[in-house]
Amino acid sequence: MTDRQLRVVLAEDSVVLRDGMVELLGVRGCEVVATAGTAPELLSAVAEHRPDVAVVDIRMPPTHTDEGIRAAVEIRARTPGVGILVFSQHVETALASRLLADGAAGIGYLLKERVARTSEFVDALHRVADGGTALDPDVVTGLMRGGQRNRVDTLTPREREVLELMAQGHSNRSVAGLLKVSERAVEKHVAAVFTKFGLRATDTDNRRVKAVLAYLAESRG
């Protein structure tokens, strides 16, 4: 998944952090086609360059509240093929819900303090660019609080654990390692989730993404 060069637009109002990220992403084979320090600059850069993914900080000038999320929502409406990776210092559940309102495909939300290695960040960029998800565990937990679960209630505790890790972007092999079970056991849990969510196998549908979408939608209540 990570063998192709990603074209990235980077929105971060801290010049030092922005320059550092440009350098790090370049070393990892990503091309930062444009940077932005404000939401309007971000929208213009995405419209001009049509990147694979836009990295967006939630809080940007002038008010440092929700400018980044509002810009991300607008990007989704204008150019739905562009992946969005929110990179924030805080878990903003209400703002995350706003971004996820039209689905989680091609969406990521990572906490800056939790990304220990550049390789993890780049892997998340590729997942998002390919239409997958990359959600920080704290974001998933925040989205789960409250609300009616519906089909999520039918899952066993282990199936829910597996689905939470799927929402974070983990593969079956990665889930197996984290839960210390066999990959075959994870496959059975994933199959059970698909069955309970009524997701049938087709040649074109990505059931993992659909399961995550259903999970997040019902967890938001």
Side-chain angles (χ1 to χ4, degrees), residues 67-145:
E67 284 88 352
I69 283 290
R70 286 193 281 112
V73 170
E74 191 166 341
I75 289 170
R76 292 285 279 180
R78 292 181 180 180
T79 52
V82 175
I84 301 289
L85 180 60
V86 173
F87 199 42
S88 176
Q89 291 181 331
H90 311 278
V91 176
E92 304 276 6
T93 303
L95 298 180
S97 295
R98 191 191 311 179
L99 180 60
L100 293 163
D102 293 326
I107 291 289
Y109 191 133
L110 300 180
L111 297 182
K112 294 177 180 178
E113 65 181 27
R114 293 279 287 270
V115 179
R117 296 187 300 272
T118 308
S119 58
E120 295 176 357
F121 182 58
V122 174
D123 286 345
L125 284 175
H126 278 273
R127 284 202 302 274
V128 169
D130 289 337
T133 60
L135 303 177
D136 187 275
D138 285 354
V139 176
V140 174
T141 299
L143 290 168
M144 284 185 64
R145 291 180 182 142

Side-chain angles (χ1 to χ4, degrees), residues 172-183:
N172 285 359
R173 178 176 296 180
S174 178
V175 171
L178 290 168
L179 298 181
K180 301 187 186 312
V181 299
S182 69
E183 192 169 347

